[in-house]
Amino acid sequence: MNNEESRPDLRRGARPFDAHQVTVVGLLAALLCTVVTLPSPATGAGLPDWEGSGWQIADASKIYRGAELYGFINGGAELFLELGFEQLVVHDLRRGAARVSVELYQMADATAARGVYLAKGGLEQRAPQLPVRHLSGRVQLAFQHGTLFAVITGETGGGEAAALTGLAQAVLATLADDEPVSILDALPSPGRVPGSERIIRGPLGLQSLLTLGEGDVLLLAGQATAVAAEYDAGGARTGLLVVEYGNDGAAEAALDHLASHLDPYLKVVSRQGKTLVLEQHDGRFAVLELHGRVLHVRFRLANAPAPVSGGR
């Protein structure tokens, strides 16, 4: 999805999928984290039945709130915070010599939780034993349900699919019904590449997808949520970003702000009314069009569109 072929790393330091080391800031934040043995606020219904799944608590659970997340994730905490992070509860479990970690990220809303889940990337699965949307790796399982994003990792042994699935079921048993994320309906279905969807609430998420300018160039933070996806048109991959602002004036202000804060590697091909055509650094093109309070950004186009008189 990213034109620089990079994605935010959402995984814990020293995990099987992440070799980053904790920074000085992270170490300081870690000192502030709360060690708890209370029921997990991330589930809202008490602790999962670990023993019923064949596991026992190995160490006191930990809670990380707000910026304390830097003490646990190095290189990915910013995206959680940008999307809407509340707290993380980490449970370390054991079964004989096997050790497993269960990370429960409580997000501000279901849209934020889905945004983190989608940013993790990977081939989504829905097994009969685990009907919720989830991603499975060699020793790791991640899923999203309502406002919760969860990652279960086999640290030492315990990474078998059946074990990870059983722990996921124990967590899901404590949760309320799932919540729809209707904002993704703004993305047209025809030609959309499965798994390419993204939810964006600020400059970090936007920069991982498309370079338009520095900072919050589309005025997303605190004002609007964007959705994006890749599309396959005859073997060529293009991208679509859709932003719905609070009103027409906010949308027009965002387009004006972008036009005056463009990345220096972008070239303005034309601006007519509510349509802005740009040539990207790789010679492909992007078209930004306002339709009332909705901004459509089509990018990685092979050819510049013919001049138009503006959006509706």
Side-chain angles (χ1 to χ4, degrees), residues 4-25:
E4 276 107 21
E5 299 299 323
S6 63
R7 287 179 176 168
D9 193 343
L10 306 181
R11 297 169 287 246
R12 178 180 180 179
R15 292 290 180 192
F17 298 159
D18 186 0
H20 287 299
Q21 300 299 313
V22 177
T23 62
V24 173
V25 173

Side-chain angles (χ1 to χ4, degrees), residues 213-225:
E214 291 189 8
D216 190 15
V217 71
L218 286 181
L219 304 181
L220 295 175
Q223 295 192 46
T225 298

